[in-house]
Amino acid sequence: MRILRELLWIPYFLAVGAVHLAAFLFWLATGDLSSGDAAFAWTTAICFGAALVGAAFRLRSARRAETEIERRLQQKEEVFSSLFDSIPVAISLLDRTGAFVRTNPASEQITGYSIGDVAGKSFSEFVHVNHMNETMRRFRQTLDGEVQTFHSVLVLNSGYPADVQVTALPIKDDKQHITGIIAIYEDITKKRQTEERIKHMAYYDDLTGLPNRRLFRDLVAEYLLSAGDRTRIYVMLLNVDRFKVVNGSLGQDIGDMLLLQLADRLHRAVADHGAAARMEGDEFGILYRDSGGSVLPGELARRITKELDEPFLIQEYTLHISTSMGIAAGYGGGDESLLLKNAGVALSKAKEKGKNSFELYTPEMEEQYLSKFTLENDLRKAIQEGEFLLLYQPQYHIVTGDIVGTEALIRWKHPERGIVSPAEFIPIAEETGLIVPLSEWVFREACQQNRAWQREGLPPIPVSVNLSVRQFLHPNLIERVASILKESELSAEYLELEITESMTMDVEFATAALLRLKELGLRISIDDFGTGYSSLNYLKSFPVDKLKIDRSFVRDIMVDPNDAAIVRTIITMAHHLNQTVIAEGVETEEQLSYLRTYGCDEMQGYLYSPPVPPERLRELLRERQLKSG
């Protein structure tokens, strides 16, 4: 353009010079020349010459400018080519048909195709068929002037697919017409694989490969959202009964193999109608879609149970398991959080019933669950704020009627509900582990109170304290008992620990623990004897001082011959083992007379005294002291 502008001056100079030259020649031909005309003629000649010289200079300048422009364009082309070829990002120039016009070496490194392999071919020839339509749609939008960034898959020269991130930009000429496409693409295959692995870790269980709790919740929400009017959605939570026994006795590897086989069976049981998930530990979730609305919860539970009834063969072991299941039903548009919560409430109810059972959620369970939850929170607060007290029920010698001991019984003085029975809060304390700090408080309080009575000069008697299962299994039980005895300055002979028969199931452990407790000098009694599972063969080896006949036998001793026979047998057996027998729950003179007749040693019950505060027991001990005078 600049050269053209320069050349436009040349015709102007030539035109001016030509006019003057023509006039000069005319005057020369006519001979009508004067001195003025001669001057004009010379001026004309000079102008013409100047025009020629000026034109020559302009032409030279224009040629120099053109040469400079060409040099600069060449320089720019070299810079562009250098950048285009050396940039580590794959770039291809495509025409409006999508054919390759030019591509850089980085593209060859990614795709494996050389520049010659793709020259003149369409970009679409290298796109995976599943991504063809989307890629071409994006290119069409680019030709409409839009910058597009999208995911596509290219088929490499090796034949393998590669995930690529494509950015497509329009190429425009001087008039802003779109003449083609710049395609910039990056291989993100490894990045996508990493993202998929992270996603799998976030949403799937690493042991079983089943969906985890997070994905299971999403699936429940999806099922509820897509459920039709007649479709019922079941959510089931399943726990393996006594799974800890498998882990503890056979090892975690066997436990993991059991969970793997269990997961496979659950998946096969519901694969056509839903999904199975591992929530945590030995808890699994089952999602079942009943499109016809004809499957009953019990039928579903039995179907799952049947699938799990077959023994599990793991290495040299043959394992049989049972499960506890909680089921909740929902319909389209329901709340997944509510459905999962309801299934959890039903599972808790099933566990309370014992192993190998299932429960379908009902609104009444919600009230019970909420009450239990509230009670648990109140119990934690009560332990912190010391809302408990001990009552003491005296124990009497059947023949003499003397007080020979007392049992410490915990009561909860609730700030709003008043006195709460141990039958209501002890099971919750056992389940939550709160029984450990609670029982330790009972130990300390009972020992300190007994020592206080002795310091007052009252007749010394042993105080018996119930030992919880968690306490009995605690590794530092003996150390804690010894520490409390030392703190309270109570002699060990005045402390009696009551255990239940269920604690002696592991005979080897129970024997060792009881022997260590006996070494401290305290007494051991078995509470509620006859209701558990003690083997008489092992009972003779336990260092037990006393057997306590359960109140359920004493209650019907006068009307049920079987109960009467059990009581007589316990008394006889205990005496043969040189053990004392005490009957609890004695409420009538007839019961007392029967027990006395068959040689029962001691009793406790409402016939003589209910559980009383420490002050009342002090009075009873004082009365005994005065009588013995």
Side-chain angles (χ1 to χ4, degrees):
M1 294 298 293
R2 182 179 178 184
I3 294 176
L4 291 176
R5 288 196 301 270
E6 295 290 340
L7 293 177
L8 286 176
W9 286 97
I10 296 175
Y12 170 76
F13 284 115
L14 291 177
V16 173
V19 170
H20 284 275
L21 179 62
F24 175 74
L25 292 175
F26 174 77
W27 289 323
L28 183 64
T30 58
D32 185 14
L33 294 171
S34 62
S35 59
D37 293 332
F40 177 77
W42 284 111
T43 302
T44 300
I46 292 169
C47 286
F48 184 71
L52 289 176
V53 173
F57 275 106
R58 288 285 182 178
L59 182 60
R60 181 181 179 186
S61 176
R63 286 177 177 173
R64 286 180 177 178
E66 182 179 10
T67 302
E68 178 64 20
I69 290 172
E70 290 176 354
R71 187 184 67 78
R72 290 182 180 180
L73 287 175
Q74 179 65 29
Q75 189 178 43
K76 288 181 179 179
E77 174 64 21
E78 291 174 357
V79 172
F80 172 77
S81 296
S82 177
L83 288 173
F84 188 79
D85 292 339
S86 62
I87 194 168
V89 178
I91 302 177
S92 295
L93 305 183
L94 313 176
D95 62 19
R96 287 190 62 86
T97 67
F100 285 93
V101 175
R102 185 174 181 178
T103 190
N104 70 344
S107 173
E108 181 178 352
Q109 293 178 4
I110 291 178
T111 63
Y113 296 106
S114 66
I115 296 174
D117 293 333
V118 300
K121 294 183 179 180
S122 174
F123 190 89
S124 62
E125 295 182 36
F126 304 94
V127 178
H128 193 279
V129 63
N130 293 342
H131 293 262
M132 178 76 69
N133 292 336
E134 175 65 11
T135 300
M136 293 300 101
R137 184 182 70 83
R138 296 287 193 150
F139 279 174
R140 285 193 295 272
Q141 290 180 332
T142 304
L143 292 173
D144 289 336
E146 300 178 15
V147 176
Q148 296 290 314
T149 300
F150 58 96
H151 167 253
S152 186
V153 175
L154 298 181
V155 179
L156 306 180
N157 193 28
S158 63
Y160 290 101
D163 289 281
V164 291
Q165 184 80 10
V166 181
T167 299
L169 303 94
I171 301 175
K172 298 180 181 180
D173 59 16
D174 292 341
K175 296 181 180 180
Q176 298 299 302
H177 294 154
I178 297 175
T179 60
I181 297 172
I182 299 176
I184 304 171
Y185 41 100
E186 176 188 3
D187 187 348
I188 58 171
T189 304
K190 291 183 178 180
K191 180 181 178 182
R192 296 267 297 187
Q193 290 173 346
T194 301
E195 290 175 350
E196 288 298 322
R197 283 196 297 269
I198 294 174
K199 181 179 178 181
H200 192 276
M201 291 171 61
Y203 288 98
Y204 290 87
D205 176 57
D206 58 352
L207 174 65
T208 64
L210 293 179
N212 61 13
R213 180 184 293 275
R214 177 186 296 180
L215 181 55
F216 187 70
R217 177 182 290 273
D218 292 344
L219 289 173
V220 174
E222 180 182 329
Y223 274 43
L224 289 172
L225 186 64
S226 61
D229 295 338
R230 297 185 58 194
T231 301
R232 183 185 293 130
I233 304 298
Y234 286 117
V235 170
M236 176 187 296
L237 295 181
L238 177 150
N239 259 149
V240 181
D241 296 325
R242 303 179 70 242
F243 178 73
K244 290 182 179 179
V245 175
V246 176
N247 259 0
S249 57
L250 302 181
Q252 187 173 346
D253 289 344
I254 300 297
D256 286 348
M257 292 180 191
L258 174 60
L259 293 177
L260 277 169
Q261 292 191 23
L262 176 63
D264 182 61
R265 293 193 191 184
L266 292 177
H267 174 70
R268 286 190 280 110
V270 298
D272 295 335
H273 301 277
R278 186 187 180 199
M279 308 300 278
E280 60 184 358
D282 63 328
E283 182 176 310
F284 289 82
I286 296 171
L287 179 57
Y288 190 90
R289 175 165 39 205
D290 177 21
S291 300
S294 59
V295 178
L296 297 176
E299 179 185 344
L300 178 58
R302 284 187 290 272
R303 184 181 304 178
I304 300 297
T305 302
K306 182 179 179 181
E307 190 71 33
L308 303 181
D309 275 344
E310 290 294 321
F312 292 81
L313 305 179
I314 302 174
Q315 294 183 5
E316 69 271 25
Y317 302 104
T318 301
L319 304 179
H320 295 266
I321 68 167
S322 63
T323 60
S324 298
M325 292 178 277
I327 307 175
Y331 298 89
D335 182 358
E336 77 277 4
S337 298
L338 181 62
L339 198 57
L340 285 165
K341 180 179 72 68
N342 291 347
V345 171
L347 176 60
S348 297
K349 188 68 175 178
K351 287 181 178 180
E352 292 175 3
K353 288 177 61 178
K355 62 182 182 179
N356 207 24
S357 62
F358 77 91
E359 284 287 339
L360 176 66
Y361 171 81
T362 62
E364 291 75 21
M365 290 181 186
E366 185 74 19
E367 296 178 6
Q368 298 173 7
Y369 186 82
L370 180 60
S371 176
K372 181 178 178 181
F373 179 76
T374 303
L375 194 64
E376 179 184 337
N377 285 339
D378 289 350
L379 186 59
R380 294 181 184 276
K381 181 180 177 182
I383 293 175
Q384 293 176 352
E385 299 187 1
E387 295 177 359
F388 298 94
L389 56 88
L390 289 184
L391 299 181
Y392 298 87
Q393 187 169 35
Q395 299 170 335
Y396 297 87
H397 192 280
I398 282 186
V399 176
T400 65
D402 290 337
I403 297 177
V404 293
T406 184
E407 181 180 5
L409 301 170
I410 189 171
R411 297 291 185 269
W412 179 6
K413 191 175 181 180
H414 195 282
E416 297 176 1
R417 299 176 54 188
I419 299 298
V420 180
S421 168
E424 190 173 351
F425 68 84
I426 290 297
I428 295 178
E430 287 275 10
E431 181 181 338
T432 59
L434 295 174
I435 193 67
V436 174
L438 191 60
S439 296
E440 187 161 324
W441 177 84
V442 173
F443 263 97
R444 183 174 286 102
E445 182 69 18
C447 289
Q448 290 176 350
Q449 181 60 71
N450 198 12
R451 182 60 182 140
W453 287 328
Q454 292 179 7
R455 288 196 180 99
E456 294 177 20
L458 297 174
I461 58 171
V463 59
S464 62
V465 178
N466 289 280
L467 194 63
S468 70
V469 175
R470 284 180 180 264
Q471 276 183 303
F472 188 63
L473 298 176
H474 204 282
N476 66 347
L477 169 66
I478 284 77
E479 290 76 10
R480 294 305 303 152
V481 172
S483 175
I484 290 174
L485 286 172
K486 183 178 180 180
E487 290 175 16
S488 62
E489 298 181 352
L490 180 69
S491 176
E493 63 181 306
Y494 295 113
L495 175 63
E496 182 176 296
L497 298 183
E498 294 189 9
I499 65 172
T500 60
E501 289 179 89
S502 60
M503 296 183 193
T504 63
M505 292 293 289
D506 186 340
V507 177
E508 183 177 348
F509 175 85
T511 302
L514 293 175
L515 286 172
R516 291 187 64 193
L517 287 170
K518 284 295 292 181
E519 290 175 358
L520 296 177
L522 47 75
R523 304 183 184 189
I524 303 291
S525 67
I526 296 182
D527 193 15
D528 303 332
F529 188 80
T531 62
Y533 311 95
S534 287
S535 167
L536 298 181
N537 185 44
Y538 290 120
L539 184 61
K540 66 182 181 181
S541 62
F542 290 150
V544 174
D545 301 289
K546 184 185 295 186
L547 296 183
K548 200 169 190 178
I549 302 175
D550 185 66
R551 66 179 65 249
S552 62
F553 300 126
V554 175
R555 181 182 61 243
D556 298 327
I557 198 173
M558 304 306 298
V559 295
D560 189 333
N562 291 327
D563 285 345
I566 290 174
V567 169
R568 292 196 304 270
T569 301
I570 293 174
I571 294 172
T572 301
M573 179 193 65
H575 287 168
H576 279 297
L577 295 174
N578 296 317
Q579 295 168 348
T580 302
V581 183
I582 180 172
E584 64 176 350
V586 180
E587 299 181 354
T588 67
E589 288 289 349
E590 290 79 8
Q591 293 169 345
L592 178 61
S593 177
Y594 186 93
L595 293 169
R596 185 184 293 117
T597 299
Y598 287 97
C600 184
D601 302 298
E602 300 171 0
M603 59 80 66
Q604 71 180 82
Y606 278 72
L607 177 62
Y608 279 4
S609 174
V612 296
E615 298 78 13
R616 176 55 184 158
L617 188 62
R618 180 187 293 108
E619 294 174 0
L620 294 175
L621 290 174
R622 185 72 67 188
E623 292 173 5
R624 171 194 166 188
Q625 187 179 40
L626 293 175
K627 286 181 180 178
S628 62

